[in-house]
């Protein structure tokens, strides 16, 4: 970590102080009853309008207004201010967004702890004996002390304002071309507005659900004590990651997924691996199942499902992990000529949504990933500054589900490639077909799957699952992005013994 808190990956994380760069800025978030208090901010967080009336010029005009200060928004506001523009950032919650406080950073702390418990359980098969006593308090303490500073964003605010940007607390709303209202204040932007307000959890229309004290990811991240039992609605990345963590600490977990497999947006092999992994950790997985209604009796949740022949499921907690959605209507996008009922803001290659309006992050519908938000923000900043640069390119969009084993993927799945009319060849090899996978022993479950556009002879998608699936993905990401010919990949040297040698074998298995 450099002296100014910049990591080698370009993401700022202030260790022991909170306020790292987050996954996205948030609007209202449907918090459960135990979240972070009625104000939505931790005890050390700033209230609304943190920097007060002094944040505006006398005429209420600035160069750029950035609405939402998650990773893309914070980056854009800081970079534009450092370039000499007069920038105001508008944020209703914590500067840094979802990722450092309720998403990727605290969840990976949980996952790291759960993985250590699992590794200890593998010791008898490989190295001797080990006795481990899980302690959720250690995990909760690290999240509060190292990741979030008790959900206090002062470090992030100081980082932003030190670059010359100014902060206004509140919910920003478009009010015409280059105009933003925050409460009773109107800010005019000479050059334009950047929207980076992210998404919020999608709460399914299940009868009775909204009247119960359900959890979202925010409540799970803030949990000081481990529940004895938990039902998870949703088998996507968030649902399976948290299900595995909680189960490894001794919570009895059931996952309900409406699709016919977990991780339904990824390859079928990925969903099968996730289901097998969760089952090995004691998680009950119900796929092709829907919740019919939800009740809470003051102590336990009761969930009736389409698979509930033996009666309703009961648990101490109910985690809703059914995806996320944008609320464009709350942003007043119709005043800029956009559809408030749309699922996402459509942009061109330079992230322009309209004249004088840019959008970055989850709001654009390109995936709820920190790396996408940052990537898009860099493009928008260049465009606002009049600097040349390539259009956004999502052909090689990478993503990782941080279960154990990790499931990394880039580009198109086999099904997506076929739906686009491509002539497809695939190669699938289990990870233990490599020497490294065999040597690794317990915990080595995984595979490599490659998807080739056979007419062009290049990879258009790949999945790498295993103990280092997210890291092995890097080489595949380069191959897809740079359109490296498959025949060249087949004739390069692959280090022995490594997990990534499975890629070489999968290339040879393309059919």
């Amino acid at each position: 970590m450099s002296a100014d808190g910049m990591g080698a990956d370009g993401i700022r994380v202030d260790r022991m102080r909170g306020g790292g760069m987050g996954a996205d800025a948030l609007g209202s978030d449907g918090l459960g009853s135990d979240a972070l208090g009625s104000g939505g901010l931790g005890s050390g967080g700033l209230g609304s309008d943190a920097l007060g009336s002094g944040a505006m010029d006398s005429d209420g005009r600035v160069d750029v207004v950035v609405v939402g200060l998650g990773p893309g928004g914070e980056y854009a506001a800081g970079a534009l201010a450092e370039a000499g523009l007069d920038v105001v950032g508008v944020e209703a919650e914590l500067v840094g967004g979802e990722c450092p406080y309720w998403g990727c950073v605290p969840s990976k702390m949980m996952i790291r702890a759960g993985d250590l418990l699992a590794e200890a359980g593998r010791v008898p098969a490989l190295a001797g004996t080990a006795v481990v006593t899980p302690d959720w308090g250690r995990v909760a303490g690290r999240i509060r002390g190292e990741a979030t500073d008790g959900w206090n964003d002062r470090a992030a605010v100081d980082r932003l304002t030190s670059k010359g940007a100014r902060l206004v607390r509140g919910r920003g709303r478009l009010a015409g071309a280059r105009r933003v209202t925050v409460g009773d204040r109107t800010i005019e932007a000479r050059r334009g507005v950047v929207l980076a307000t992210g998404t919020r959890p999608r709460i399914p229309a299940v009868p009775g659900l909204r009247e119960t004290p359900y959890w979202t990811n925010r409540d799970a991240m803030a949990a000081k004590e481990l529940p004895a039992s938990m039902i998870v609605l949703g088998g996507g990345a968030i649902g399976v990651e948290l299900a595995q963590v909680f189960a490894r600490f001794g919570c009895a977990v059931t996952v309900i997924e409406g699709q016919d497999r977990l991780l339904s947006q990824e390859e079928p092999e990925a969903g099968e691996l996730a289901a097998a992994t969760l089952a090995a950790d004691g998680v009950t997985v119900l796929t092709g199942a829907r919740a019919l209604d939800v009740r809470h009796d003051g102590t336990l949740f009761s969930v009736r499902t389409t698979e509930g022949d033996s009666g309703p499921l009961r648990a101490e907690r109910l985690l809703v992990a059914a995806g996320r959605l944008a609320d464009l209507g709350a942003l007043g996008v119709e005043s800029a000529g956009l559809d408030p009922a749309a699922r996402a803001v459509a942009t061109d290659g330079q992230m322009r949504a309209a004249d004088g309006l840019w959008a970055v992050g989850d709001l654009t519908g390109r995936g709820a990933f920190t790396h996408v938000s940052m990537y898009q923000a860099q493009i928008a900043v260049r465009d606002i500054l009049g600097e040349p640069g390539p259009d956004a390119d999502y052909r090689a969009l990478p993503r990782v589900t941080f279960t154990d084993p990790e499931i990394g993927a880039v580009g198109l799945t086999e099904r997506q490639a076929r739906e686009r009319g491509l002539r497809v060849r695939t190669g699938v090899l289990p990870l233990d077909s490599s020497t490294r996978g065999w040597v690794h022993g317990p915990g080595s479950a995984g595979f490599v799957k490659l998807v080739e556009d056979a007419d062009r002879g290049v990879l258009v998608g790949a999945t790498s699952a295993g103990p280092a699936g997210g890291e092995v993905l890097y080489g595949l990401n380069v191959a897809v992005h740079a359109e490296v010919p498959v025949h060249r990949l087949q004739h390069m040297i692959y280090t022995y013994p490594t997990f990534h040698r499975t890629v070489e074998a999968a290339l040879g298995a393309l059919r």
Side-chain angles (χ1 to χ4, degrees):
M1 188 68 66
S2 63
D4 67 351
M6 178 70 79
D9 59 0
I11 305 295
R12 291 183 179 273
V13 177
D14 294 286
R15 188 172 181 271
M16 298 299 292
R17 299 176 62 198
M21 195 71 75
D24 51 53
L26 293 181
S28 60
D29 198 304
L31 297 177
S33 63
D34 301 357
L36 300 178
S38 59
L41 298 177
S43 59
L46 298 175
S48 63
D49 245 358
L51 297 189
S53 59
M56 292 294 96
D57 290 337
S58 58
D59 62 357
R61 300 185 68 196
V62 297
D63 290 322
V64 177
V65 177
V66 180
V67 183
L69 295 173
E74 184 186 344
Y75 172 84
L80 292 169
E82 287 184 316
L85 298 189
D86 187 7
V87 180
V88 164
V90 179
E91 175 55 57
E93 297 196 18
L94 299 182
V95 175
E98 189 84 350
C99 182
Y101 303 106
W102 302 289
C104 29
V105 174
S107 70
K108 301 314 169 284
M109 286 185 172
M110 290 181 175
I111 289 167
R112 166 65 172 155
D115 289 354
L116 284 173
L117 295 177
E119 279 293 279
R122 295 162 185 157
V123 168
L126 298 174
T129 60
V131 177
V132 178
T133 302
D135 182 356
W136 185 257
R138 301 287 183 91
V139 180
R142 190 177 181 211
I143 288 172
R144 278 168 168 73
E146 295 186 38
T148 68
D149 192 19
W151 290 273
N152 185 330
D153 67 351
R154 171 53 66 184
V157 172
D158 291 345
R159 180 175 64 234
L160 178 68
T161 57
S162 70
K163 296 180 178 183
R166 294 174 291 175
L167 172 65
V168 170
R169 295 282 188 181
R171 300 199 180 278
R173 180 180 173 86
L174 293 175
R178 296 178 172 83
R179 290 167 59 91
V180 173
T181 60
V182 186
D184 58 1
R185 175 180 304 169
T186 298
I187 311 169
E188 295 189 18
R190 301 179 188 91
R191 297 203 183 189
V193 175
V194 179
L195 295 179
T197 52
T199 53
R200 56 185 172 84
R202 185 180 75 84
I203 308 304
V206 178
L209 175 60
R210 291 182 181 272
E211 290 71 52
T212 68
Y214 61 84
W215 273 8
T216 67
N217 63 295
R218 289 190 169 198
D219 305 275
M221 296 305 117
K224 290 183 178 180
E225 297 180 355
L226 187 78
S229 55
M230 182 170 72
I231 297 169
V232 181
L233 292 184
I238 295 174
V240 298
E241 286 179 1
L242 294 182
Q244 185 178 60
V245 167
F246 276 62
R248 286 181 166 180
F249 274 87
C251 179
V253 181
T254 298
V255 176
I256 302 172
E257 168 55 49
Q259 301 296 318
D260 61 1
R261 58 186 171 86
L262 301 178
L263 303 178
S264 61
Q265 301 303 308
E266 301 297 347
E267 297 284 8
E269 295 89 342
E272 293 167 5
L273 177 62
T277 298
L278 291 186
D281 283 316
V283 177
T284 299
V285 177
L286 302 178
T287 55
R290 294 183 298 104
L292 297 175
D293 59 53
V294 176
R295 299 287 183 268
H296 189 262
D297 64 7
T299 302
L300 295 176
F301 284 89
S302 176
V303 181
R304 288 196 312 122
T305 74
T306 53
E307 300 294 311
D309 293 339
S310 59
L313 301 172
R314 298 184 187 279
E316 183 179 331
R317 293 293 180 187
L318 174 64
L319 172 65
V320 178
R324 301 181 70 87
L325 53 82
D327 186 359
L328 302 190
L331 284 173
V333 296
E334 65 276 10
S335 69
L338 305 182
D339 180 4
R343 298 183 62 181
V345 175
T347 65
D348 66 11
Q350 294 295 308
M351 309 316 302
R352 306 180 196 112
D355 182 40
L357 182 66
W358 292 260
V360 303
D362 294 12
L363 203 63
T364 65
R366 295 292 184 171
F369 307 114
T370 294
H371 45 279
V372 171
S373 182
M374 294 288 288
Y375 170 76
Q376 293 175 328
Q378 292 164 356
I379 294 172
V381 166
R382 286 198 304 264
D383 193 50
I384 292 169
L385 295 177
E387 299 174 355
D391 282 355
D393 181 353
Y394 305 105
R395 291 173 302 121
L397 196 158
R399 62 269 182 196
V400 180
T401 299
F402 289 91
T403 46
D404 173 21
E406 292 180 356
I407 301 173
V410 60
L412 302 177
T413 63
E414 177 183 355
R415 177 179 177 179
Q416 290 168 338
R418 294 188 188 281
E419 287 176 345
R420 295 191 182 192
L422 301 182
R423 187 169 68 88
V424 171
R425 295 201 310 164
T426 63
V428 186
L429 264 295
L431 201 64
D432 59 11
S433 67
S434 71
T435 301
R436 179 64 180 277
W438 170 71
V439 167
H440 192 85
S444 66
F447 65 92
V448 169
K449 179 173 183 177
L450 308 179
V451 181
E452 179 195 25
D453 177 346
D455 291 330
R456 293 191 297 139
V458 298
L459 298 181
V460 293
T463 299
S464 60
E471 307 305 325
V472 172
L473 184 68
Y474 171 71
L476 295 169
N477 195 15
V478 172
V480 174
H481 178 79
E483 298 184 323
V484 181
V486 165
H487 70 84
R488 295 193 66 181
L489 295 172
Q490 290 172 327
H491 293 92
M492 66 179 276
I493 300 171
Y494 293 80
T495 312
Y496 180 90
T498 60
F499 290 121
H500 78 248
R501 275 183 72 87
T502 309
V503 173
E504 180 183 30
L507 286 164
L510 284 168
R511 298 289 186 274

